[in-house]
Amino acid sequence: MKPTPGMETNQVKKRNFFKMPHTFVIIIFFIFFAALLTYLLPAGEFERVKDEATGQTLVVENTFKSVEQSPVSILDIPLAIVHGLVGAADVVFFIFIIGGVFQIINSTGTIEAVAARVGKAFVNKGLIIIPIFLILFSVGGFTMGMSAEVMAFVPIGIVIARSLGYDAITGTAMVMLGAASGFTAGLLNPFNVGIAQAIAELPMFSGMWLRAILLVALLFSTSLYIIRYAKKVKKDPTASLVYDLEIEENRGEIDLSALPSVKVTHILTILSVIAGFGVLIWGVSSQGWWMEELAAFFLSLGIIVGFLSKYGPSKIAGEFVKGASAITFGAFIVGIAKGVVVVLEQGYVIDSVVNGLASTIGQLPASVQVLGMYTFQNILNIFITSGTGQAATTMPVLVPLSDLINITRQTTVLIFQLGDGLSNIMLPTSAMLMGSLAVSKIKYNRWIRFMWPLFLIWFSIGAVFVLIAHGISY
């Protein structure tokens, strides 16, 4: 049943009324709230010691003591934001370099060509194309942090899906959910796991084995779910949740030959990236590479890929600037979110918050503690969809809290990355989701009907992994 004009107007008004504020606005609100806490909460601090074995700065239990009140005034907030940007400079510039380098790689057309080649090769092999595309795009998710960029590849997925008798939801899902699975698992994702582990003082990309198992679990469950839906649509096209769209878009035979082909430069790009990530794993695992070394590595990789793709120096520089410009939002979020921590530290209340949380949940069963933190991170993702922003906002509080309630820092990072990644496939504030739906012409309510059972499956898988991580002291 179609809505009447009046109903439609009311819906539009309601959507406008409940429009989510800009992420910067939300974080600034948190900064003001943090300043208010410096007036309301008693100032205090824990003793901290450096663990010689791990190099981590640990909170010493039962050492919390009161100190002189030091409230942060509203006039101090702009300076706190600047201090946050300066304090997070290594991470901010690392993100700029990552964005620039990935744009160089993306501009070569390698990802589109590989996706098209895979699609053509398996177009007559039926349902196997679904897990193959999921795996392919998961690589982009767990290495380059592919998220909103995935919308550029959704049309390829839809073309392949329709050629096999499936629909736009199938094509969109096998591209977008592959990237989302990889991003959530975050094996080598510098934007969520990398930054969270840096704040937690953990070796970069450590604990990869459990995240690899998590990736397999996400891909396996997602493959089965999409395959079940695709088989139903092929058997009865009217069972498609977007059947009206399929009728509208049915314009005869689909020309798969129009998809891009793999060239020598694409192969060279693939080989250089694979070799590069091999060097990356060696560097972080045995050479102790950190932000500076990683930034230098990625910068070198981008230049190499550019020259292998027959780019001149100016072309490489132009693509780098384009990518760095596109990632400005994410980079500045980290610095601005750091302002929350600066205010809490200047007011000497960050330890008061940690002490209060530890006292409140410390007596609860361990499973309740970790699941509570996990649920909190998923809820926070509604307001701060940027993984880098979430890491900068919550990890400085969660890390000392985990020390006090005996949850390992690696488990805390896992809780963060799951909370940051899982709900992106459902939230209307997710640029990845809304951009992909716009490209595919799928209505948001139709996607939710398709997606909510899988989200519950993903959420349950995440809960199980969090409990396992805590149980084995991951």
Side-chain angles (χ1 to χ4, degrees):
M1 176 181 173
K2 293 184 178 180
T4 64
M7 291 169 61
E8 198 169 322
T9 301
N10 289 337
Q11 288 175 353
V12 171
K13 287 182 179 178
K14 189 175 293 186
R15 280 200 298 270
N16 289 338
F17 180 77
F18 288 107
K19 185 178 180 181
M20 183 67 69
H22 193 281
T23 303
F24 282 178
V25 175
I26 294 172
I27 294 177
I28 295 296
F29 169 79
F30 280 134
I31 293 175
F32 275 95
F33 181 68
L36 179 63
L37 290 180
T38 64
Y39 288 89
L40 300 178
L41 296 180
E45 59 184 359
F46 284 103
E47 291 182 14
R48 285 173 167 81
V49 296
K50 187 162 186 175
D51 186 345
E52 297 299 330
T54 63
Q56 296 175 355
T57 303
L58 303 176
V59 173
V60 180
E61 193 173 0
N62 298 322
T63 60
F64 182 79
K65 62 181 180 181
S66 297
V67 298
E68 184 180 351
Q69 205 76 14
S70 181
V72 176
S73 75
I74 192 171
L75 298 177
D76 295 324
I77 289 178
L79 190 58
I81 294 173
V82 173
H83 285 164
L85 285 163
V86 173
D90 56 343
V91 178
V92 171
F93 283 103
F94 174 66
I95 293 171
F96 275 127
I97 290 175
I98 291 287
V101 171
F102 286 163
Q103 172 58 30
I104 296 173
I105 296 172
N106 195 40
S107 70
T108 65
T110 301
I111 300 175
E112 295 99 323
V114 170
R117 176 65 181 270
V118 169
K120 292 175 187 176
F122 291 93
V123 72
N124 295 318
K125 306 254 186 334
L127 293 167
I128 194 173
I129 195 67
I130 293 173
I132 287 175
F133 257 62
L134 286 170
I135 293 170
L136 175 64
F137 282 95
S138 74
V139 175
F142 71 68
T143 56
M144 299 186 296
M146 181 182 285
S147 181
E149 302 88 346
V150 79
M151 70 180 74
F153 310 106
V154 165
I156 295 177
I158 293 176
V159 167
I160 301 297
R162 283 175 173 159
S163 71
L164 293 168
Y166 310 137
D167 63 358
I169 282 185
T170 304
T172 302
M174 67 189 196
V175 173
M176 184 173 66
L177 297 185
S181 298
F183 184 92
T184 301
L187 276 69
L188 294 167
N189 187 342
F191 296 111
N192 62 355
V193 171
I195 291 175
Q197 287 185 327
I199 295 172
E201 298 180 316
L202 294 171
M204 193 73 79
F205 305 128
S206 57
M208 194 184 300
W209 67 271
L210 186 61
R211 298 201 300 278
I213 298 173
L214 169 64
L215 176 63
V216 172
L218 292 175
L219 290 175
F220 182 74
S221 60
T222 305
S223 294
L224 292 181
Y225 185 83
I226 299 175
I227 287 172
R228 179 175 176 271
Y229 173 80
K231 289 171 66 175
K232 185 169 64 173
V233 168
K234 187 162 187 176
K235 182 178 180 181
D236 178 13
T238 62
S240 169
L241 293 173
V242 288
Y243 180 64
D244 54 343
L245 176 63
E246 296 307 306
I247 296 297
E248 179 184 331
E249 295 290 316
N250 184 15
R251 295 169 183 165
E253 192 71 21
I254 296 172
D255 184 14
L256 294 177
S257 65
L259 296 176
S261 57
V262 177
K263 301 176 182 177
V264 174
T265 55
H266 297 147
I267 295 173
L268 292 175
T269 297
I270 294 169
L271 293 176
S272 62
V273 170
I274 291 174
F277 276 101
V279 173
L280 172 65
I281 293 172
W282 168 78
V284 298
S285 62
S286 64
Q287 302 301 305
W289 284 7
W290 203 240
M291 286 294 177
E292 290 183 4
E293 293 85 358
L294 288 172
F297 160 78
F298 279 110
L299 187 60
S300 303
L301 178 62
I303 294 171
I304 291 170
V305 167
F307 282 128
L308 289 176
S309 299
K310 300 180 181 179
Y311 287 178
S314 295
K315 173 69 171 176
I316 294 173
E319 292 296 336
F320 181 87
V321 171
K322 181 180 177 182
S325 300
I327 205 72
T328 299
F329 171 73
F332 269 95
I333 276 182
V334 173
I336 294 173
K338 178 76 172 178
V340 177
V341 181
V342 169
V343 168
L344 293 175
E345 288 177 342
Q346 287 180 347
Y348 292 96
V349 295
I350 190 168
D351 283 358
S352 301
V353 173
V354 172
N355 185 57
L357 290 173
S359 300
T360 302
I361 68 176
Q363 305 302 318
L364 298 174
S367 59
V368 177
Q369 293 174 3
V370 293
L371 290 178
M373 291 171 66
Y374 171 60
T375 303
F376 165 74
Q377 280 295 150
N378 272 277
I379 294 173
L380 184 67
N381 197 39
I382 297 173
F383 305 100
I384 305 176
T385 54
S386 165
T388 51
Q390 277 193 58
T393 304
T394 64
M395 288 302 294
V397 175
L398 293 182
V399 167
L401 175 63
S402 65
D403 289 345
L404 292 174
I405 61 178
N406 296 317
I407 296 175
T408 67
R409 294 189 177 189
Q410 200 71 265
T411 300
T412 303
V413 172
L414 180 66
I415 289 171
F416 156 74
Q417 73 186 76
L418 286 168
D420 167 48
L422 293 180
S423 54
N424 285 333
I425 59 173
M426 294 282 284
L427 296 176
T429 53
S430 168
M432 174 187 70
L433 172 59
M434 301 312 290
S436 297
L437 294 186
V439 170
S440 63
K441 301 180 183 178
I442 298 171
K443 295 179 180 177
Y444 178 71
N445 64 327
R446 307 284 183 88
W447 176 260
I448 294 300
R449 283 177 60 189
F450 167 77
M451 198 63 239
W452 73 263
L454 181 58
F455 172 72
L456 294 180
I457 293 171
W458 276 20
F459 189 85
S460 301
I461 289 173
V464 169
F465 270 82
V466 165
L467 291 173
I468 291 173
H470 184 63
I472 63 174
S473 298
Y474 171 54

